Short mmCIF file of all heavy atoms in Angstrom, two decimals:
data_model
loop_
_atom_site.label_atom_id
_atom_site.label_comp_id
_atom_site.label_asym_id
_atom_site.label_seq_id
_atom_site.Cartn_x
_atom_site.Cartn_y
_atom_site.Cartn_z
N ALA V 1 6.31 -3.36 -13.08
CA ALA V 1 4.87 -3.65 -13.03
C ALA V 1 4.06 -2.36 -12.98
O ALA V 1 3.06 -2.21 -13.70
CB ALA V 1 4.57 -4.54 -11.82
N LYS V 2 4.49 -1.41 -12.13
CA LYS V 2 3.75 -0.13 -12.00
C LYS V 2 3.95 0.75 -13.23
O LYS V 2 2.99 1.36 -13.72
CB LYS V 2 4.24 0.63 -10.76
CG LYS V 2 4.01 -0.10 -9.45
CD LYS V 2 2.59 0.08 -8.94
CE LYS V 2 2.47 -0.42 -7.51
NZ LYS V 2 1.06 -0.50 -7.09
N LEU V 3 5.18 0.81 -13.74
CA LEU V 3 5.43 1.67 -14.90
C LEU V 3 4.64 1.16 -16.11
O LEU V 3 4.09 1.95 -16.89
CB LEU V 3 6.92 1.74 -15.21
CG LEU V 3 7.36 2.75 -16.26
CD1 LEU V 3 6.91 4.17 -15.89
CD2 LEU V 3 8.88 2.73 -16.45
N GLY V 4 4.56 -0.17 -16.26
CA GLY V 4 3.76 -0.74 -17.34
C GLY V 4 2.29 -0.38 -17.22
O GLY V 4 1.64 -0.05 -18.22
N THR V 5 1.78 -0.40 -16.00
CA THR V 5 0.37 -0.03 -15.77
C THR V 5 0.12 1.42 -16.16
O THR V 5 -0.91 1.74 -16.78
CB THR V 5 0.01 -0.25 -14.28
OG1 THR V 5 0.26 -1.61 -13.94
CG2 THR V 5 -1.45 0.06 -14.02
N VAL V 6 1.09 2.30 -15.82
CA VAL V 6 0.94 3.73 -16.13
C VAL V 6 1.02 3.96 -17.65
O VAL V 6 0.17 4.65 -18.22
CB VAL V 6 2.03 4.56 -15.40
CG1 VAL V 6 2.00 6.01 -15.88
CG2 VAL V 6 1.81 4.48 -13.90
N ILE V 7 2.03 3.40 -18.30
CA ILE V 7 2.20 3.63 -19.74
C ILE V 7 1.03 3.04 -20.53
O ILE V 7 0.60 3.59 -21.54
CB ILE V 7 3.55 3.03 -20.23
CG1 ILE V 7 4.74 3.67 -19.50
CG2 ILE V 7 3.71 3.18 -21.74
CD1 ILE V 7 5.16 5.03 -19.97
N ARG V 8 0.49 1.92 -20.04
CA ARG V 8 -0.68 1.30 -20.71
C ARG V 8 -1.98 2.05 -20.39
O ARG V 8 -3.01 1.78 -20.98
CB ARG V 8 -0.83 -0.16 -20.27
CG ARG V 8 0.27 -1.09 -20.77
CD ARG V 8 0.00 -2.52 -20.30
NE ARG V 8 1.07 -3.46 -20.60
CZ ARG V 8 1.22 -4.09 -21.77
NH1 ARG V 8 0.36 -3.86 -22.76
NH2 ARG V 8 2.21 -4.93 -21.95
N LYS V 9 -1.91 2.96 -19.39
CA LYS V 9 -3.08 3.75 -18.95
C LYS V 9 -4.18 2.85 -18.39
O LYS V 9 -5.37 3.11 -18.59
CB LYS V 9 -3.60 4.64 -20.10
CG LYS V 9 -2.56 5.64 -20.59
CD LYS V 9 -3.12 6.61 -21.62
CE LYS V 9 -3.05 6.04 -23.01
NZ LYS V 9 -3.21 7.08 -24.05
N TRP V 10 -3.77 1.81 -17.70
CA TRP V 10 -4.73 0.91 -17.07
C TRP V 10 -5.15 1.47 -15.70
O TRP V 10 -4.42 2.23 -15.09
CB TRP V 10 -4.11 -0.48 -16.86
CG TRP V 10 -3.99 -1.27 -18.13
CD1 TRP V 10 -4.40 -0.92 -19.38
CD2 TRP V 10 -3.39 -2.56 -18.27
NE1 TRP V 10 -4.10 -1.91 -20.28
CE2 TRP V 10 -3.49 -2.94 -19.63
CE3 TRP V 10 -2.78 -3.45 -17.37
CZ2 TRP V 10 -3.00 -4.15 -20.12
CZ3 TRP V 10 -2.28 -4.67 -17.85
CH2 TRP V 10 -2.41 -5.01 -19.21
N ASN V 11 -6.31 1.06 -15.25
CA ASN V 11 -6.81 1.40 -13.90
C ASN V 11 -6.82 2.91 -13.63
O ASN V 11 -6.64 3.34 -12.49
CB ASN V 11 -5.95 0.72 -12.81
CG ASN V 11 -5.78 -0.77 -13.05
OD1 ASN V 11 -6.60 -1.40 -13.70
ND2 ASN V 11 -4.69 -1.33 -12.53
N GLY V 12 -7.00 3.69 -14.70
CA GLY V 12 -7.05 5.14 -14.52
C GLY V 12 -5.71 5.79 -14.23
O GLY V 12 -5.64 6.97 -13.88
N GLU V 13 -4.63 5.03 -14.39
CA GLU V 13 -3.30 5.60 -14.12
C GLU V 13 -2.91 6.59 -15.22
O GLU V 13 -3.25 6.41 -16.39
CB GLU V 13 -2.24 4.48 -14.04
CG GLU V 13 -2.41 3.55 -12.85
CD GLU V 13 -1.90 4.15 -11.55
OE1 GLU V 13 -1.59 5.36 -11.52
OE2 GLU V 13 -1.80 3.39 -10.56
N LYS V 14 -2.16 7.64 -14.83
CA LYS V 14 -1.71 8.66 -15.78
C LYS V 14 -0.23 8.95 -15.54
O LYS V 14 0.25 8.85 -14.41
CB LYS V 14 -2.50 9.96 -15.55
CG LYS V 14 -3.99 9.83 -15.77
CD LYS V 14 -4.71 11.11 -15.35
CE LYS V 14 -6.22 10.96 -15.59
NZ LYS V 14 -6.96 12.12 -15.07
N MET V 15 0.45 9.36 -16.60
CA MET V 15 1.86 9.72 -16.45
C MET V 15 2.04 10.92 -15.51
O MET V 15 3.09 11.06 -14.88
CB MET V 15 2.52 9.98 -17.81
CG MET V 15 2.76 8.71 -18.61
SD MET V 15 3.80 8.95 -20.09
CE MET V 15 5.45 9.01 -19.34
N ALA V 16 1.01 11.76 -15.40
CA ALA V 16 1.09 12.90 -14.47
C ALA V 16 1.35 12.43 -13.04
O ALA V 16 1.93 13.17 -12.24
CB ALA V 16 -0.20 13.71 -14.53
N TYR V 17 0.93 11.21 -12.73
CA TYR V 17 1.12 10.68 -11.37
C TYR V 17 2.57 10.28 -11.10
O TYR V 17 2.91 9.91 -9.97
CB TYR V 17 0.22 9.46 -11.13
CG TYR V 17 -1.26 9.70 -11.30
CD1 TYR V 17 -2.13 8.64 -11.51
CD2 TYR V 17 -1.80 10.99 -11.25
CE1 TYR V 17 -3.51 8.84 -11.66
CE2 TYR V 17 -3.17 11.21 -11.41
CZ TYR V 17 -4.01 10.12 -11.62
OH TYR V 17 -5.37 10.33 -11.77
N LEU V 18 3.44 10.32 -12.13
CA LEU V 18 4.83 9.90 -11.96
C LEU V 18 5.71 10.98 -11.34
O LEU V 18 6.91 10.77 -11.16
CB LEU V 18 5.42 9.48 -13.31
CG LEU V 18 4.77 8.26 -14.00
CD1 LEU V 18 5.34 8.07 -15.40
CD2 LEU V 18 4.97 7.01 -13.16
N LYS V 19 5.10 12.10 -10.96
CA LYS V 19 5.88 13.21 -10.42
C LYS V 19 6.71 12.79 -9.21
O LYS V 19 7.83 13.26 -9.02
CB LYS V 19 4.96 14.39 -10.06
CG LYS V 19 5.70 15.63 -9.60
CD LYS V 19 4.76 16.80 -9.37
CE LYS V 19 5.54 18.06 -8.98
NZ LYS V 19 4.63 19.22 -8.79
N ASN V 20 6.16 11.92 -8.37
CA ASN V 20 6.90 11.47 -7.17
C ASN V 20 7.38 10.02 -7.33
O ASN V 20 7.47 9.26 -6.37
CB ASN V 20 6.04 11.61 -5.91
CG ASN V 20 4.84 10.65 -5.94
OD1 ASN V 20 4.40 10.22 -7.00
ND2 ASN V 20 4.33 10.32 -4.77
N TRP V 21 7.68 9.63 -8.56
CA TRP V 21 8.14 8.27 -8.89
C TRP V 21 9.34 7.88 -8.04
O TRP V 21 10.22 8.70 -7.76
CB TRP V 21 8.51 8.23 -10.37
CG TRP V 21 8.92 6.90 -10.91
CD1 TRP V 21 10.15 6.57 -11.40
CD2 TRP V 21 8.09 5.74 -11.08
NE1 TRP V 21 10.14 5.26 -11.85
CE2 TRP V 21 8.89 4.74 -11.66
CE3 TRP V 21 6.76 5.44 -10.78
CZ2 TRP V 21 8.41 3.46 -11.95
CZ3 TRP V 21 6.27 4.18 -11.07
CH2 TRP V 21 7.08 3.20 -11.66
N GLY V 22 9.37 6.63 -7.65
CA GLY V 22 10.47 6.14 -6.82
C GLY V 22 9.96 5.77 -5.44
O GLY V 22 8.94 5.10 -5.30
N GLU V 23 10.68 6.24 -4.41
CA GLU V 23 10.26 5.94 -3.04
C GLU V 23 8.81 6.37 -2.77
O GLU V 23 8.11 5.72 -1.99
CB GLU V 23 11.19 6.59 -2.02
CG GLU V 23 12.57 5.97 -1.95
CD GLU V 23 13.61 6.73 -2.75
OE1 GLU V 23 13.23 7.38 -3.76
OE2 GLU V 23 14.81 6.66 -2.39
N GLY V 24 8.37 7.45 -3.44
CA GLY V 24 7.00 7.94 -3.26
C GLY V 24 5.95 6.93 -3.71
O GLY V 24 4.77 7.05 -3.34
N TRP V 25 6.36 5.95 -4.49
CA TRP V 25 5.44 4.89 -4.94
C TRP V 25 5.59 3.62 -4.10
O TRP V 25 5.09 2.56 -4.46
CB TRP V 25 5.69 4.57 -6.42
CG TRP V 25 5.05 5.57 -7.34
CD1 TRP V 25 5.31 6.90 -7.43
CD2 TRP V 25 4.04 5.30 -8.32
NE1 TRP V 25 4.54 7.48 -8.40
CE2 TRP V 25 3.75 6.52 -8.97
CE3 TRP V 25 3.36 4.14 -8.74
CZ2 TRP V 25 2.81 6.62 -9.98
CZ3 TRP V 25 2.43 4.24 -9.76
CH2 TRP V 25 2.14 5.47 -10.36
N GLY V 26 6.33 3.75 -2.99
CA GLY V 26 6.51 2.59 -2.12
C GLY V 26 7.64 1.67 -2.52
O GLY V 26 7.69 0.52 -2.09
N PHE V 27 8.55 2.17 -3.37
CA PHE V 27 9.69 1.36 -3.79
C PHE V 27 10.79 1.41 -2.73
O PHE V 27 10.80 2.27 -1.87
CB PHE V 27 10.27 1.86 -5.13
CG PHE V 27 9.30 1.86 -6.28
CD1 PHE V 27 9.56 2.60 -7.42
CD2 PHE V 27 8.11 1.12 -6.23
CE1 PHE V 27 8.68 2.61 -8.50
CE2 PHE V 27 7.22 1.12 -7.30
CZ PHE V 27 7.50 1.87 -8.43
N VAL V 28 11.76 0.49 -2.85
CA VAL V 28 12.89 0.49 -1.91
C VAL V 28 13.73 1.74 -2.14
O VAL V 28 13.61 2.38 -3.19
CB VAL V 28 13.75 -0.79 -2.08
CG1 VAL V 28 12.90 -2.04 -1.91
CG2 VAL V 28 14.47 -0.81 -3.43
N PRO V 29 14.56 2.13 -1.17
CA PRO V 29 15.39 3.33 -1.37
C PRO V 29 16.22 3.24 -2.65
O PRO V 29 16.69 2.16 -3.03
CB PRO V 29 16.29 3.34 -0.12
CG PRO V 29 15.51 2.60 0.91
CD PRO V 29 14.76 1.54 0.16
N SER V 30 16.39 4.39 -3.30
CA SER V 30 17.05 4.43 -4.60
C SER V 30 18.44 3.78 -4.58
O SER V 30 18.81 3.07 -5.51
CB SER V 30 17.18 5.88 -5.06
OG SER V 30 17.79 5.97 -6.33
N ASP V 31 19.19 4.00 -3.50
CA ASP V 31 20.56 3.47 -3.46
C ASP V 31 20.61 1.99 -3.10
O ASP V 31 21.68 1.40 -2.98
CB ASP V 31 21.43 4.29 -2.49
CG ASP V 31 20.94 4.23 -1.05
OD1 ASP V 31 19.88 3.62 -0.79
OD2 ASP V 31 21.61 4.82 -0.18
N ARG V 32 19.42 1.37 -2.96
CA ARG V 32 19.35 -0.08 -2.71
C ARG V 32 18.64 -0.79 -3.87
O ARG V 32 18.44 -2.00 -3.82
CB ARG V 32 18.59 -0.37 -1.41
CG ARG V 32 19.31 0.11 -0.16
CD ARG V 32 20.58 -0.65 0.09
NE ARG V 32 21.32 -0.15 1.26
CZ ARG V 32 22.23 0.80 1.22
NH1 ARG V 32 22.52 1.40 0.08
NH2 ARG V 32 22.88 1.16 2.31
N ALA V 33 18.26 -0.05 -4.90
CA ALA V 33 17.42 -0.62 -5.97
C ALA V 33 18.20 -0.87 -7.25
O ALA V 33 18.96 -0.03 -7.70
CB ALA V 33 16.26 0.33 -6.27
N LEU V 34 17.98 -2.05 -7.84
CA LEU V 34 18.33 -2.30 -9.23
C LEU V 34 17.00 -2.38 -9.98
O LEU V 34 16.12 -3.14 -9.60
CB LEU V 34 19.11 -3.60 -9.41
CG LEU V 34 19.50 -3.79 -10.89
CD1 LEU V 34 21.01 -3.89 -11.03
CD2 LEU V 34 18.82 -4.98 -11.52
N VAL V 35 16.86 -1.55 -11.03
CA VAL V 35 15.55 -1.41 -11.68
C VAL V 35 15.62 -1.77 -13.15
O VAL V 35 16.68 -1.72 -13.79
CB VAL V 35 14.97 0.01 -11.50
CG1 VAL V 35 14.76 0.32 -10.03
CG2 VAL V 35 15.85 1.07 -12.14
N PHE V 36 14.45 -2.15 -13.68
CA PHE V 36 14.34 -2.62 -15.06
C PHE V 36 12.88 -2.56 -15.46
O PHE V 36 11.99 -2.63 -14.61
CB PHE V 36 14.87 -4.06 -15.17
CG PHE V 36 14.38 -4.97 -14.07
CD1 PHE V 36 13.26 -5.76 -14.25
CD2 PHE V 36 15.03 -5.00 -12.84
CE1 PHE V 36 12.79 -6.58 -13.23
CE2 PHE V 36 14.57 -5.81 -11.81
CZ PHE V 36 13.44 -6.61 -12.01
N VAL V 37 12.63 -2.41 -16.76
CA VAL V 37 11.26 -2.43 -17.27
C VAL V 37 10.76 -3.87 -17.36
O VAL V 37 9.63 -4.18 -17.02
CB VAL V 37 11.18 -1.70 -18.63
CG1 VAL V 37 9.81 -1.88 -19.27
CG2 VAL V 37 11.49 -0.21 -18.45
N ASP V 38 11.63 -4.76 -17.84
CA ASP V 38 11.30 -6.19 -17.91
C ASP V 38 12.58 -6.99 -17.70
O ASP V 38 13.68 -6.45 -17.82
CB ASP V 38 10.66 -6.55 -19.25
CG ASP V 38 11.58 -6.32 -20.45
OD1 ASP V 38 12.41 -5.38 -20.39
OD2 ASP V 38 11.48 -7.05 -21.45
N ASN V 39 12.42 -8.27 -17.36
CA ASN V 39 13.59 -9.15 -17.29
C ASN V 39 13.26 -10.47 -17.97
O ASN V 39 12.15 -10.67 -18.50
CB ASN V 39 14.07 -9.33 -15.84
CG ASN V 39 13.23 -10.32 -15.05
OD1 ASN V 39 12.11 -10.66 -15.41
ND2 ASN V 39 13.79 -10.80 -13.95
N HIS V 40 14.21 -11.41 -17.97
CA HIS V 40 14.04 -12.65 -18.73
C HIS V 40 12.88 -13.48 -18.20
O HIS V 40 12.29 -14.25 -18.96
CB HIS V 40 15.34 -13.47 -18.70
CG HIS V 40 15.66 -14.04 -17.35
ND1 HIS V 40 16.24 -13.30 -16.35
CD2 HIS V 40 15.45 -15.28 -16.83
CE1 HIS V 40 16.39 -14.07 -15.28
NE2 HIS V 40 15.92 -15.27 -15.54
N ASP V 41 12.55 -13.34 -16.92
CA ASP V 41 11.42 -14.08 -16.35
C ASP V 41 10.09 -13.43 -16.71
O ASP V 41 9.22 -14.05 -17.31
CB ASP V 41 11.54 -14.12 -14.82
CG ASP V 41 12.32 -15.30 -14.31
OD1 ASP V 41 12.12 -16.41 -14.84
OD2 ASP V 41 13.12 -15.13 -13.38
N ASN V 42 9.94 -12.15 -16.32
CA ASN V 42 8.59 -11.58 -16.41
C ASN V 42 8.19 -11.18 -17.83
O ASN V 42 7.01 -10.97 -18.09
CB ASN V 42 8.39 -10.44 -15.40
CG ASN V 42 9.26 -9.23 -15.62
OD1 ASN V 42 9.83 -9.03 -16.69
ND2 ASN V 42 9.36 -8.40 -14.59
N GLN V 43 9.14 -11.14 -18.77
CA GLN V 43 8.71 -10.92 -20.16
C GLN V 43 8.02 -12.16 -20.71
O GLN V 43 7.36 -12.11 -21.75
CB GLN V 43 9.87 -10.47 -21.06
CG GLN V 43 10.92 -11.51 -21.33
CD GLN V 43 11.98 -11.06 -22.35
OE1 GLN V 43 12.66 -11.90 -22.90
NE2 GLN V 43 12.13 -9.77 -22.62
N ARG V 44 8.14 -13.28 -19.98
CA ARG V 44 7.47 -14.53 -20.36
C ARG V 44 6.28 -14.84 -19.45
O ARG V 44 5.73 -15.93 -19.52
CB ARG V 44 8.46 -15.69 -20.27
CG ARG V 44 9.52 -15.66 -21.31
CD ARG V 44 10.69 -16.57 -20.99
NE ARG V 44 11.56 -16.64 -22.17
CZ ARG V 44 12.36 -15.66 -22.54
NH1 ARG V 44 12.44 -14.56 -21.82
NH2 ARG V 44 13.09 -15.78 -23.64
N GLY V 45 5.95 -13.91 -18.54
CA GLY V 45 4.85 -14.17 -17.63
C GLY V 45 5.24 -14.91 -16.38
O GLY V 45 4.41 -15.25 -15.55
N HIS V 46 6.56 -15.18 -16.20
CA HIS V 46 7.04 -15.82 -14.97
C HIS V 46 7.43 -14.75 -13.96
O HIS V 46 7.46 -13.57 -14.28
CB HIS V 46 8.29 -16.67 -15.26
CG HIS V 46 8.05 -17.81 -16.19
ND1 HIS V 46 7.85 -19.09 -15.76
CD2 HIS V 46 7.99 -17.86 -17.55
CE1 HIS V 46 7.66 -19.89 -16.80
NE2 HIS V 46 7.75 -19.17 -17.90
#
C-alpha cells in the first residue's frame, strides 16, 4: 500500500523518502515479515 503510494507519487510522496524503508516506515520487523507488492485479494480491491 505504501510502496504503491510512493511510486504513484500520491500525497506528495517521493522515492527519496524510501531511504529508511522497512521498520522505519512502521512495518513489522524484517525477520517477521512476508512482503509483496500485490496479492490475489488486493489486486482486485479486496
Side-chain angles (χ1 to χ4, degrees):
K2 298 279 191 191
L3 189 56
T5 302
V6 172
I7 300 281
R8 291 181 186 276
K9 300 186 274 196
W10 286 358
N11 309 334
E13 293 282 11
K14 299 172 179 174
M15 287 191 79
Y17 302 160
L18 297 173
K19 185 175 183 178
N20 67 336
W21 184 244
E23 289 98 332
W25 281 61
F27 301 163
V28 303
S30 181
D31 62 356
R32 294 293 177 270
L34 182 121
V35 298
F36 45 95
V37 172
D38 62 328
N39 79 341
H40 69 280
D41 270 318
N42 64 18
Q43 69 174 199
R44 291 165 170 74
H46 297 261

